[in-house]
Every structure is written in structure tokens, then in C-alpha cells.
Amino acid sequence: MHPIDWLIIGAYLAWIVWTGVEHTRGSKEIEGYFLGNRSNPWWAVGLSVMATQLSAITMVGTTGQGYTDGLRFVQFYFGLPLAMVILSVTAVPFFHRAKVYTAYEYLERRFDLKTRTLTSALFLVSRGLSCGTIISAPAVILSIILGWNLTLTVLLIGIPTAIYTMLGGVQAVTWTDVKQMYIIVFGLVAVAVALVLGLPADVSLGDALSVAGATGRMQAFDFRFTTTETYTFWSGLIGGLFLMLSYFGCDQSQVQRYLTARSEQEATSSLYMSAYWKIPLQVLVLMIGVLVFVFYLFNQPPMLFNPVHEAKVKASPQAGAYAAAEQRFDAAFAARRDAATALTSSEPATRAAAEDAFLKADADLKAVRSDAIAIVQDTTGDRSYRDVNYVFPTFVTTRLPIGLIGIILAAIMAAAMSSIAAELNALATTTVIDFYRRLVRPEAPDAHYLSVSRLATAFWGVFTCIVALFAADLGSLIEVVNRFGSFFYGSILGVFMLAMLTRRASGTGAFVGLIGGMTLVATVAFTRPEISFLWHNVIGAVGVVVVGSLVSLLAPARRPEPAS
């Protein structure tokens, strides 16, 4: 990379860490450290919520998803607006009036200690794994660009984030998120403009999108009702609704954001910001992936987007087979480029024939690339290798001009750090409030709890860095993080449904129901892998409610305490 790009990245890191450290002075008491003294304006909370969601996985994994699969992934978010409306009249009033630090404190008030502890433990496991995956995305990018060991790049991302989160607490997280969100959106728009300008002079944006549409990449809706297809209208609306209800209503990393708001009304306004803007922003990210696909229709792409694996193959006994595949790939690309050019200039009468020729050429190129991936898997022994996570970073580092590369990489790092900081802060809050203060040392001064909180942040920083080293090889990162979440989220949501929707549920019923829901999800996940992970959220929630309600008939509910 050019020194100008390094200068931009260095300036960004210094600016963000300084911003985080600046807020240390406002975090001398435990309420200030964990909840910002409940004083943040709605717009800052809303931007922090969106920045937490828009991780580097979104910028890397979702663009790769758009490149390979088009806009279909946006259906994943169709349940989000409805979830925000439901939560604004349920979770937000419950948690704000209860004056809790964590969402799980409410479960002890409503049920008992064992239900709170088990739910908190499930959150720690699920969010710790997901946070490691979030670190993995930018670490993979930097390892490719710098030729560094993945461990070093993981630490380069994780350590600065852990430092400012340890020192500044939730205020550092919130206000760095606000600044990082501006960088992210600017970077996304800049890439979109660069991609449009990179099209051939005689190919309009409309022509380019028409070609992408021929491959199905512009199809955003699939109305088939099936449990085996991940991205459909119904899986997104129903499964996505349950996932979003759990994520925003039961996940401490999100609940903690709106607990920092100045009032219940401002907390609700912050959720509506996500309801209005999340889907359009997600469409922009996916569209960038589609535009990268279109760009490489007319500009020579690499056969594989991971240069590290490519170098290993070229130095192996499979080098000859790989070179032959490259020759086939070049010929297939030339045929696809000519077919794409013909398709953009075809008359209506000849369009069907031109489209058939293009689709055949595209299928031939895919076949060659599949052969190349098989060679990589045989050579490296990495059977889970997929190219999708390397599409966007390779485009950024090989096709964008000097300066813009640094801006985009800073945006990717901003996306990673905003999400990581929020997760680390939430993990530390849950560890200290739900376990250490509740079970180990109930009475201690704030200074002691602050010290323990910073140690807990450091611990989770190390844990998530270790997870990140393994996550890069698990497939599409955006799917990996949602698979982790979907395994746990539905069951956690089911406990809160029992707590908020009925007075008859007992603590024993909720506890046994949570175990039953997790067991049901695990059974489905391991015995029926063809069922999409989005439906795991529905299965878990319904399983907890049914089992919990049945057990509660045998174990009478304790009278709930007022949430005030």
C-alpha cells in the first residue's frame, strides 16, 4: 500500500483511541461506566445501535454475499421494522422502568436466580463467539494486504479496541460509534461511486444492473414458503422477526445501548432509527457487492480472490493443474465479457439469445473457479475454504486509487471496532453485574467493581481474539455470525416472552423451558441440517414457551415483583 493510505489508517486509529480515552473521566462510577449515567441523546444512541450492527462482517461478508448471491440476503432483515415496533412498547418500558444494568436482572425479579444465571451464561457464550467472528473479518483483510500472520492482525484490531473500551466504558463506546458511523457511510458511498465510474464508457449503470439481473442478482424477493431455503420473504419476516426481537430485546449488547438514553421516549426513538434506515443501508452494502460482480464482468478478475492460498498452490505439485485452470479461466472470462457486452447492446428481438449466451459463459467461468477451489482444498487441506470473504478486500486493494484504499480500510476497521467495543462492554457488564456482583461479592465500593469490569473487558478481549483465529475458515462470515446467534437467540427470547406475556409462568418453568428450547434447537441443528438456521429462532422461542408453560402448570408461579 502507498504511504498515504498508511497515514490515513494511522490517523484514524489515533483519533478513535483518543476519542475513547477522552471519556474516561466520565466513567468513575459504575453507573457512568456501564450506562453513561443514562444521559445520552436519542440520535447518539441510535447511531451507536446501528454502528454495533454494521460490523466489518457487514462490509466484507455482505458485499461478498451480494457478489455471489445478489440482493436476496436483504430478506433477512424484513422482520426488523416490526420487531422495533413491538420492542418499543414492550422491552423498552420494562427495562427503563426497572432501572436495571442488564436485561437479565429482570429475569431474577420475575422468576428466580437460576433462570437469570443460565440466560446470562448463554448470552456470554453466544456473544463471545460472535464477537470473535466480528474481529476475524478485518483481520483477514489485513493479513492479505500486509502478508502478516493472522494472529498479528487480530491483535492489531482487538488491542486498541479493548484499550479504549476498558478505560472509557459505555460512553467511549457510544461516542466513538457515532464518529465511526460517519466514516463507514462515507466509505460505502465512495466505493459505490468508484464502481460506477469503473464501468466501460459505453455501459450505463442501467445496462450493468440489467446484466446482473440476468443472473438473478437483482431479485430481492422470494415468496416460496420453505424451511430449507435460508433467504426467502417468509424466513426473513418470521424467522428474522424472532431473531431481531431476541437481538434487540434480549441481547445485552443492544439493550445496554438504549438503557443509556435519557428517557424511555428517547430510547424508543433510537430503535426507530434502525427500523427506518437499516434495510436501505443493507441494500447499499449488497448493491456494492452486485456492482463488484458487474465490474469484474468487464475487467479481468483473479481466478481466486485469496492471494495467500493461490501462492501456496503455485508452490505445490498442483502448480501445473492450477496453471491449466488459469488458462481455461482466462478464456472463459473473455467469452463472458464478450457475451456481457453483447447483452448490454442487444435489441429486444435478440435479447433472449444474448442472455442465454451470457448465462452459459457465466456458468463456464463458475465451473473453472470451482475446479480451482477444489485444487486449493486438496493442496491446503482446508475443506471449508470459500472465496466469498476475500472478494471485497481484494477489489479494494487492487482496484481503488491511492487514498481511497486507506479510507475504505479505515471504514472497515471502524465497522469492526464499533461492534467489538459494544460487545466487549456488554460482556463485561454481564460478567460483573450478573455473576461477580450477584454471586461473588454483593457488597463492594464502585471503585472495586470498576477495576473488576476493566479486567473482565480484558479477559473477553483475549477470548474473542482466540475465537477470531478460527472463524475465518468457517465460510461466509456474515452467515457464521448469524448462525452463532440463531443457535441461542430464540431460546433466550422465549424466556423473556414467558416473563412479559404471562403471569402464570414460574421460575422452574422458565428454567426448564430454556433447557428444553436449547435442546430442541440443538437436536434440529444436528439432525436436520437442511432446515435453515433462521428457523432455529422460531423453534427455540416456541419450544421454551411450550415447555415452560407446561412445567409451570406443575410449579406455580411466584408473585412477580413490580418493575420499578
Side-chain angles (χ1 to χ4, degrees):
M1 285 201 314
H2 194 275
I4 292 177
D5 297 310
W6 282 116
L7 181 63
I8 291 171
I9 293 173
Y12 158 74
L13 285 173
W15 177 52
I16 286 299
V17 172
W18 173 252
T19 299
V21 172
E22 258 191 322
H23 290 280
T24 301
R25 60 179 179 270
S27 303
K28 301 300 184 184
E29 298 177 352
I30 190 169
E31 187 169 30
Y33 187 80
F34 285 142
L35 297 179
N37 294 312
R38 306 178 194 266
S39 62
N40 290 333
W42 68 270
W43 58 268
V45 176
L47 287 174
S48 181
V49 168
M50 291 185 67
T52 303
Q53 303 166 57
L54 212 164
S55 68
I57 290 181
T58 302
M59 295 191 70
V60 175
T62 306
T63 49
Q65 197 80 22
Y67 176 89
T68 59
D69 205 30
L71 300 182
R72 294 174 62 247
F73 182 74
V74 76
Q75 296 173 111
F76 178 84
Y77 294 95
F78 284 175
L80 176 63
L82 182 57
M84 293 310 196
V85 172
I86 294 172
L87 292 174
S88 69
V89 297
T90 55
V92 171
F94 267 104
F95 294 139
H96 261 272
R97 294 169 191 172
K99 297 296 181 183
V100 294
Y101 283 93
T102 75
Y104 316 113
E105 280 184 272
Y106 170 76
L107 293 179
E108 182 177 0
R109 298 185 187 183
R110 173 62 181 85
F111 293 128
D112 51 30
L113 177 59
K114 65 179 182 295
T115 303
R116 171 187 180 179
T117 303
L118 178 57
T119 309
S120 300
L122 290 177
F123 164 74
L124 292 177
V125 173
S126 63
R127 187 46 57 191
L129 293 174
S130 296
C131 188
T133 309
I134 292 169
I135 296 176
S136 179
V140 167
I141 296 169
L142 291 178
S143 69
I144 293 172
I145 295 169
L146 304 176
W148 289 3
N149 183 278
L150 183 61
T151 302
L152 294 178
T153 57
V154 165
L155 295 177
L156 181 65
I157 296 294
I159 289 177
T161 310
I163 288 173
Y164 78 71
T165 306
M166 286 172 59
L167 295 176
V170 76
Q171 287 292 70
V173 173
T174 299
W175 292 105
T176 53
D177 281 354
V178 170
K179 295 181 178 181
Q180 287 164 329
M181 194 64 190
Y182 293 139
I183 297 172
I184 292 166
V185 174
F186 176 79
L188 289 172
V189 173
V191 171
V193 171
L195 281 163
V196 173
L197 295 177
L199 294 174
D202 57 342
V203 176
S204 69
L205 178 60
D207 291 334
L209 296 181
S210 177
V211 176
T215 65
R217 283 176 171 80
M218 297 302 294
Q219 181 180 346
F221 297 93
D222 183 347
F223 290 102
R224 292 176 298 162
F225 189 91
T226 172
T227 59
T228 59
E229 186 67 39
T230 300
Y231 305 119
T232 69
F233 178 86
W234 299 110
S235 66
L237 185 64
I238 302 173
L241 172 62
F242 278 75
L243 175 60
M244 298 304 171
L245 284 173
S246 183
Y247 181 51
F248 289 98
C250 312
D251 188 299
Q252 179 63 19
S253 67
Q254 296 304 308
V255 173
Q256 192 165 343
R257 303 279 78 70
Y258 54 79
L259 284 178
T260 66
R262 288 187 290 215
S263 67
E264 183 181 316
Q265 181 58 45
E266 294 212 26
T268 299
S269 297
S270 71
L271 288 184
Y272 284 149
M273 179 181 285
S274 287
Y276 295 142
W277 290 106
K278 177 61 177 177
I279 292 178
L281 191 59
Q282 202 68 30
V283 170
L284 173 61
V285 177
L286 287 167
M287 186 59 72
I288 287 172
V290 173
L291 289 174
V292 171
F293 169 77
V294 172
F295 177 88
Y296 281 128
L297 290 178
F298 303 100
N299 299 275
Q300 176 79 44
M303 185 164 66
L304 293 181
F305 287 94
N306 184 341
V308 174
H309 276 30
E310 184 179 56
K312 289 180 180 178
V313 173
K314 288 184 175 180
S316 75
Q318 293 271 39
Y322 192 81
E326 282 188 310
Q327 292 181 347
R328 291 166 50 214
F329 183 82
D330 291 343
F333 164 72
R336 189 181 70 167
R337 180 191 57 204
D338 293 343
T341 302
L343 181 57
T344 60
S345 59
S346 62
E347 298 295 330
T350 60
R351 181 172 178 81
E355 186 173 305
D356 288 342
F358 168 73
L359 292 176
K360 180 180 183 305
D362 185 55
D364 291 342
L365 187 137
K366 284 182 180 178
V368 178
R369 181 169 276 148
S370 295
D371 291 343
I373 291 175
I375 293 174
V376 168
Q377 291 174 339
D378 290 340
T379 303
T380 63
D382 182 6
R383 291 291 172 184
S384 63
Y385 172 75
R386 293 178 63 188
D387 220 29
V388 61
N389 297 326
Y390 305 95
V391 173
F392 186 64
T394 298
F395 169 79
V396 168
T397 55
T398 60
R399 294 292 185 170
L400 292 183
I402 293 171
L404 187 54
I405 294 175
I407 291 173
I408 301 307
L409 292 179
I412 292 172
M413 294 178 72
M417 295 172 78
S418 63
S419 299
I420 297 164
E423 311 294 10
L424 292 180
N425 189 238
L427 288 165
T429 304
T430 303
T431 301
V432 173
I433 299 297
D434 290 323
F435 289 92
Y436 186 80
R437 193 176 75 167
R438 180 64 182 85
L439 302 174
V440 179
R441 192 167 175 183
E443 300 293 337
D446 275 7
H448 175 77
Y449 289 130
L450 282 175
S451 298
V452 175
S453 300
R454 291 186 169 113
L455 289 174
T457 304
F459 166 79
W460 285 110
V462 172
F463 176 86
T464 54
C465 285
I466 293 172
V467 173
L469 297 176
F470 299 95
D473 296 324
L474 296 179
S476 172
L477 291 174
I478 188 65
E479 286 196 355
V480 170
V481 72
N482 286 312
R483 284 181 184 276
F484 279 151
S486 294
F487 192 84
F488 297 92
Y489 277 164
S491 299
I492 294 175
L493 174 62
V495 175
F496 281 90
M497 290 172 66
L498 284 173
M500 295 181 180
L501 300 181
T502 175
R503 290 176 174 268
R504 295 182 178 180
S506 66
T508 300
F511 183 79
V512 175
L514 181 54
I515 295 174
M518 286 300 304
T519 302
L520 184 59
V521 171
T523 301
V524 172
F526 292 112
T527 64
R528 298 292 301 277
E530 71 276 9
I531 294 179
S532 167
F533 66 86
L534 271 178
W535 292 102
H536 294 171
N537 298 283
V538 182
I539 292 168
V542 173
V544 171
V545 170
V546 171
V547 174
S549 297
L550 291 175
V551 173
S552 295
L553 293 175
L554 304 176
R558 142 187 158 182
R559 185 180 180 85
E561 298 178 13
S564 60

